[in-house]
Amino acid sequence: MIDDGPRLLTIGQLSRRTGLSVRTIRYWSDVGALPPVGRSSGGYRLYDASSLARLELIRTLRELSLGLDDVRSVVDGESDIASVAAAHVAALDAQIRSLRLNRAVLSTVAKRNSSAEEMALMNKLARLSAAERKHIIDDFMEQTFGGLDAADPDIRTRMRVMVPDLPDDPTTGQVDAWVELAELMQDPDFRAHMRRMIEFNAADRGPDVPPGSSLWFMSRLVQLAGEARERGVAPESPEAHEVLRGLLGNADPAAVLERMEAAANDDVARFRDLVSLVRGLETLPRHNEEFAWVVAALRARTAG
């Protein structure tokens, strides 16, 4: 039996010195994190100066949210603080990613006024594994470009690099954008529209167009229409017809107009925006003015 001398402290005295509740100190003692150095004649647990220092360490570790097993391992000298801290950082990172996913999903649900079914789908998309996300992207690429990239072998590679996966440590905005992008890539109507665009572009690609430039039609549309607008060329003018010939080659203007008017341009533009957002980049210009100029020029040409 250890003497109940002034150098030894009861749980009540530890509580007054540290500001911790008696209940908390007793619990930590019960689970073995703060073993008493002895007992008084009345059976009360007693602690010494080293116990006080150990208690302060336990409090610090618990305030940092370490579990009691890790706390006992550190205070007993079985693990060094650095290795336990590193492991805890990894665990916190995982919790942070999960919280970001939760916030992104709930934020999107609030913005869309989603149903329970939509919320469940968004939550599932946000929590897909890297392999599952890759499968969505690869399946989209196959449905969009399968059999068409022979005209430009580099196009599938360029597009596959362009369509991003979710980063390892995404922001809430990136998670939100990825969920919408994944939904869009799995939409049959959007896939069919993208397929029609690629088919048109592949057919329009002449032998003088170098490999790797097969997002050619939109690039040329922006370039030629933009230059025409800068020169003040009216869509209904004869000069506009020459611009269209340089853009369309021998393609039927009426067929091109029908396709451009029926195309889901808002979806394609949104697709590009989402790609940029997931990549953490500024969204690209939509070039609505250039597109509208070409549509107006095609209408004028077909009306004649």
Side-chain angles (χ1 to χ4, degrees):
M1 189 75 63
I2 296 180
D3 186 3
D4 184 1
R7 68 183 183 282
L8 298 179
L9 304 170
T10 64
I11 287 180
Q13 290 170 320
L14 283 179
S15 174
R16 288 190 290 274
R17 289 202 182 192
T18 62
L20 291 165
S21 70
V22 169
R23 181 178 180 180
T24 296
I25 298 173
R26 182 178 292 114
Y27 173 71
W28 288 348
S29 184
D30 288 343
V31 297
L34 185 70
V37 298
R39 290 188 177 268
S40 69
S41 57
Y44 293 103
R45 284 175 279 200
L46 298 174
Y47 305 88
D48 59 12
S50 65
S51 302
L52 183 61
R54 184 181 177 110
L55 180 58
E56 292 291 356
L57 176 57
I58 293 169
R59 171 160 63 181
T60 298
L61 295 174
R62 291 295 289 152
E63 286 175 349
L64 291 172
S65 300
L66 267 71
L68 281 173
D69 287 343
D70 285 332
V71 169
R72 283 196 300 267
S73 180
V74 169
V75 295
D76 289 340
E78 297 172 0
S79 302
D80 63 276
I81 293 179
S83 63
V84 172
H88 201 59
V89 165
L92 286 174
D93 285 342
Q95 292 176 11
I96 290 170
R97 286 194 293 271
S98 180
L99 288 172
R100 283 177 173 167
L101 288 174
N102 292 346
R103 187 184 189 282
V105 170
L106 292 173
S107 176
T108 302
V109 167
K111 285 190 298 184
R112 296 187 187 182
N113 193 25
S114 300
S115 65
E117 292 78 8
E118 290 172 327
M119 180 177 66
L121 175 60
M122 282 185 279
N123 188 49
K124 178 180 178 181
L125 289 173
R127 297 180 188 282
L128 292 176
S129 67
E132 290 169 327
R133 294 194 301 268
K134 181 178 183 298
H135 175 73
I136 289 177
I137 296 173
D138 289 345
D139 188 52
F140 170 74
M141 297 301 299
E142 181 59 33
Q143 292 292 321
T144 304
F145 294 98
L148 298 177
D149 48 353
D152 185 354
D154 192 43
I155 185 61
R156 187 196 292 259
T157 301
R158 292 177 65 237
M159 279 296 293
R160 180 62 182 82
V161 171
M162 186 187 84
V163 179
D165 191 3
L166 191 64
D168 291 336
D169 189 20
T171 65
T172 299
Q174 286 174 311
V175 174
D176 191 15
W178 162 255
V179 168
E180 187 177 346
L181 181 62
E183 289 178 311
L184 193 56
M185 286 192 292
Q186 296 177 94
D187 185 299
D189 291 337
F190 178 70
R191 287 185 173 193
H193 169 62
M194 288 291 288
R195 177 79 178 186
R196 289 194 298 271
M197 283 182 53
I198 299 303
E199 286 174 341
F200 172 72
N201 292 341
D204 181 59
R205 182 179 179 270
D208 57 332
V209 178
S213 58
S214 289
L215 285 180
W216 37 154
F217 179 70
M218 181 56 71
S219 298
R220 282 185 293 161
L221 184 153
V222 171
Q223 178 186 354
L224 296 179
E227 292 173 351
R229 292 181 70 251
E230 287 179 3
R231 296 197 307 271
V233 177
E236 65 276 5
S237 68
E239 188 177 352
H241 290 182
E242 294 302 315
V243 175
L244 289 181
R245 184 176 293 112
L247 176 63
L248 305 178
N250 296 324
D252 179 5
V256 175
L257 176 60
E258 181 181 5
R259 183 166 296 174
M260 292 184 71
E261 288 181 325
N265 292 296
D266 287 343
D267 284 345
V268 174
R270 184 57 180 163
F271 175 79
R272 295 193 186 97
D273 289 347
L274 292 170
V275 165
S276 296
L277 292 171
V278 175
R279 293 171 69 90
L281 304 174
E282 295 290 330
T283 56
L284 298 174
R286 292 196 173 190
H287 302 294
N288 291 332
E289 295 83 0
E290 290 83 358
F291 184 85
W293 187 94
V294 171
V295 170
L298 284 167
R299 286 173 178 165
R301 185 171 179 181
T302 55

